[in-house]
Amino acid sequence: MALTPEQIAGYQAAAEEIAQPVIEWLLKDIVERVLEAGKMTSTAAYEAYRAEALGLARKDLQKYLKAQLKVTKKQAEQLLSSAAEFAQKDDYARVGVWATEADAGSLLQLTEAAVKLAGEQLENITQTMGMVSPATGKPLPLKDVYRECMDEAFKLVATGATSASEAARQATRKLAGRGIVTIDYASGISTELGAAVRRNLMGGMGLLVEQVTQQNHDALGCNGWEISAHANSAPDHEPIQGRQYSDAEFQRLNGSLARRIGTLNCGHVAFPILLGINSPQYTEAELEAFRQDNARGVTYEGRHMTGYEATQYQNRIERNIRTQKQRVLMSEAAGDESQLLTDRIKLARLNQEYTRFNKAMGFKSRAERLEVVGWSRRQAGKASAAVRFYTKERERAILIEKLRSAGNLPKSAQIHLTPTPIDVGSLGFDDAHVNQKRCHHVSELEAKQYIQDAAVSVTVWGGKFERYFSERGAAYVNTAENFIRTAYSAEEFDENMQALIKELKANGLLG
């Protein structure tokens, strides 16, 4: 059959991926230069650095783009050639004939012309790159955003407002989300670089495939077209998918659509047919089942979505994950550990949402749609480890506050889930206070056993005392003078201590 929705989605992802090395390089480069700007100690030194940095940034970018464009053009050629070859083979196989050498030659000419045009357009895109200003939200040329971010970082540090790494974070924090853009200076309209490259290549690929299929249509003597069909179609294409049209009908229909069939910005293609000879790929019942399943959709966390809306939500989560990975890389480059942890936590939550949503919908995870240049297993491992550590610490903090509330312990008390180590054998024992004055009837041996069996300990009185709590009893140690001031058995536990022991058991700290 013709290009499938999965193949088209694959081409779209590959086209957008072409821009990722440029995006990652620029984001990392600007963070490094802004971070350096924040380290300048005088206005004169900063102005000298800024002039040099802007010049070097321009030269480095030109050098990088010259090398990267060679790779990019090769990738574009591979995408276009692959799509054209598949389109020709499929159309001929449908009618049951083989392409001749002349047909192959015509295909090569069309492909070479498309590749040349795509290369020229890619060069034009790189010449109009810019960034969205973090301050104004307006698209600006690269050098203006570099200058703006460096000025902001220097100002923050010079006024004593923050550190260099924090200044770099504040000055560049919105860049990853808004991304690198290409700017149409005539209209002022800006487009995210990855989307611009994808639109450019897919538009060129769509035109190429249209030319190939039209050539096949004429060579094979076809007189009509069939539009492919797939599940979860967009509303504007669902009524017309899977149906056959005469040449005149298809030309009239396609001309009336806001999104023409064949642009490859949707999941549909049209392929040539012989009316009355080639049977439709889908029956009316199958097309109706597509429509009903799409409308039935799914309910996720109380919200109903059509099948198409669910696929768009999946796309949005994937974009957000890619953007968040870029934020992590920027925070790493800035050396901002606090923001880095925050960014890693946000990334973990997005990954969790993606897994949860795909499981609920029965969708497959699309790892290729989550890739970001510069993001390796090392980054993924470090991000996961940091989030696990944060989660563990957060759980510990929550548990400590539960114990504080249950035992009615003072806010100033330091609760240790691992009891503070102490040399029990060296401790003295205030028998006069424990037994004669307080009548707790606890021996020195028993008191020391309470310490050894303790599930938690609590530091109070500014560190002068350490209280040890076990299931059988409690002992309070005067750490300044190294003796057990008091001890009592579980029989004397009041409501607060009973509640504390219950909470310890509930959380597995006591058997």
Side-chain angles (χ1 to χ4, degrees):
M1 59 178 298
L3 290 175
T4 65
E6 291 76 16
Q7 287 174 315
I8 294 173
Y11 280 129
Q12 290 173 339
E16 188 160 351
E17 184 65 23
I18 284 176
Q20 289 304 312
V22 179
I23 294 171
E24 196 274 334
W25 187 92
L26 279 169
L27 290 177
K28 184 178 180 181
D29 185 69
I30 190 172
V31 169
E32 290 175 348
R33 297 187 194 278
V34 171
L35 179 60
E36 195 63 31
K39 296 177 181 178
M40 297 297 105
T41 56
S42 71
T43 301
Y46 168 64
E47 289 178 349
Y49 166 76
R50 185 178 70 177
E52 180 184 12
L54 289 174
L56 287 174
R58 182 177 65 254
K59 291 179 181 178
D60 288 348
L61 177 60
Q62 289 173 346
K63 181 179 178 181
Y64 173 78
L65 287 177
K66 184 178 180 180
Q68 185 61 33
L69 272 172
K70 292 180 181 178
V71 178
T72 299
K73 289 178 181 178
K74 188 66 178 177
Q75 291 172 322
E77 179 180 357
Q78 291 171 346
L79 290 177
L80 291 167
S81 299
S82 169
E85 290 173 9
F86 188 90
Q88 185 179 72
K89 289 179 181 178
D90 182 73
D91 288 343
Y92 275 68
R94 188 181 306 282
V95 180
V97 299
W98 296 100
T100 65
E101 288 188 13
D103 295 326
S106 298
L107 177 67
L108 180 61
Q109 287 183 333
L110 287 174
T111 303
E112 287 178 344
V115 169
K116 183 175 183 295
L117 178 60
E120 292 171 352
Q121 291 175 332
L122 285 170
E123 287 192 34
N124 290 336
I125 286 176
T126 60
Q127 294 303 315
T128 58
M129 284 193 307
M131 293 182 182
V132 176
S133 164
T136 66
K138 295 179 180 179
L140 296 174
L142 289 175
K143 63 181 178 62
D144 292 346
V145 179
Y146 268 68
R147 181 186 297 110
E148 184 182 273
C149 290
M150 286 192 293
D151 285 351
E152 176 67 11
F154 175 71
K155 182 180 68 176
L156 287 170
V157 176
T159 57
T162 187
S163 65
S165 60
E166 172 64 14
R169 182 187 72 80
Q170 290 189 30
T172 61
R173 66 183 181 276
K174 296 180 181 178
L175 289 180
R178 293 177 175 175
I180 312 302
V181 298
T182 179
I183 304 170
D184 183 339
Y185 289 100
S187 65
I189 296 174
S190 64
T191 306
E192 193 274 323
L193 183 62
V197 172
R198 183 193 68 231
R199 186 182 303 167
N200 170 271
L201 283 179
M202 295 308 292
M205 187 184 296
L207 178 61
L208 174 60
V209 170
E210 274 191 311
Q211 291 172 333
V212 171
T213 54
Q214 184 63 56
Q215 180 176 275
N216 298 341
H217 171 282
D218 298 342
L220 295 169
C222 295
N223 59 358
W225 298 86
E226 181 174 333
I227 298 175
S228 63
H230 61 80
N232 303 323
S233 173
D236 57 338
H237 287 172
E238 189 169 55
I240 62 173
Q241 71 170 357
R243 304 191 183 283
Q244 296 184 342
Y245 302 88
S246 68
D247 287 348
E249 289 172 336
F250 179 72
Q251 186 175 9
R252 190 164 50 250
L253 170 67
N254 213 20
S256 70
L257 296 173
R259 294 191 308 146
R260 294 176 62 255
I261 299 295
T263 62
L264 300 190
N265 281 312
C266 73
H268 292 102
V269 293
F271 47 86
I273 58 169
L274 294 168
L275 288 171
I277 296 178
N278 295 125
S279 300
Q281 288 192 345
Y282 295 92
T283 65
E284 285 297 325
E286 289 172 325
L287 293 175
E288 178 61 19
F290 273 155
R291 189 194 66 77
Q292 290 183 7
D293 288 345
N294 192 8
R296 185 180 305 112
V298 292
T299 298
Y300 180 68
E301 295 185 348
R303 173 192 169 194
H304 178 265
M305 290 182 276
T306 65
Y308 172 73
E309 289 170 340
T311 63
Q312 297 307 294
Y313 185 70
Q314 184 189 38
N315 290 341
R316 186 159 67 250
I317 301 175
E318 289 166 345
R319 285 195 300 273
N320 290 341
I321 288 175
R322 293 196 301 271
T323 296
Q324 195 58 37
K325 285 181 177 179
Q326 289 171 347
R327 288 195 176 107
V328 170
L329 291 172
M330 289 179 71
S331 294
E332 281 186 347
D336 189 337
E337 292 299 323
S338 175
Q339 185 61 36
L340 180 58
L341 177 58
T342 299
D343 289 336
R344 284 170 169 169
I345 291 168
K346 289 180 179 178
L347 176 60
R349 289 172 178 167
L350 283 169
N351 283 325
Q352 290 167 359
E353 169 68 2
Y354 186 60
T355 300
R356 186 167 57 248
F357 180 75
N358 285 341
K359 184 177 180 180
M361 300 301 106
F363 289 167
K364 292 181 179 179
S365 292
R366 302 181 294 190
E368 72 281 358
R369 297 292 300 272
L370 307 179
E371 293 178 359
V372 167
V373 174
W375 187 265
S376 64
R377 289 185 178 180
R378 183 180 67 85
Q379 269 88 11
K382 289 173 69 175
S384 297
V387 172
R388 285 196 300 270
F389 176 77
Y390 168 80
T391 301
K392 183 177 180 180
E393 289 301 301
R394 186 170 178 271
E395 290 173 350
R396 282 173 59 87
I398 291 172
L399 174 56
I400 284 172
E401 292 311 308
K402 284 183 177 179
L403 296 177
R404 189 188 308 279
S405 175
N408 195 26
L409 299 170
K411 291 183 178 181
S412 60
Q414 298 177 29
I415 302 173
H416 309 289
L417 300 183
T418 300
T420 302
I422 194 168
D423 182 4
V424 176
S426 69
L427 293 176
F429 181 70
D430 191 348
D431 185 71
H433 181 81
V434 175
N435 294 312
Q436 297 177 29
K437 185 175 182 180
R438 296 295 184 183
C439 300
H440 289 313
H441 306 296
V442 172
S443 68
E444 178 178 349
L445 184 61
E446 289 173 322
K448 290 183 175 180
Q449 194 63 49
Y450 297 160
I451 295 173
Q452 291 174 327
D453 294 342
V456 294
S457 71
V458 180
T459 304
V460 294
W461 287 25
K464 294 179 180 179
F465 278 83
E466 193 75 21
R467 299 175 178 176
Y468 291 84
F469 298 100
S470 73
E471 187 174 9
R472 295 176 57 198
Y476 296 2
V477 177
N478 182 326
T479 55
E481 300 181 29
N482 203 43
F483 71 92
I484 300 172
R485 174 61 172 171
T486 193
Y488 51 94
S489 70
E491 295 177 356
E492 294 188 74
F493 282 173
D494 60 15
E495 291 182 0
N496 291 331
M497 288 302 99
Q498 290 175 7
L500 176 65
I501 295 300
K502 183 178 180 181
E503 194 67 43
L504 288 169
K505 289 182 177 180
N507 287 277
L509 297 177
L510 276 176

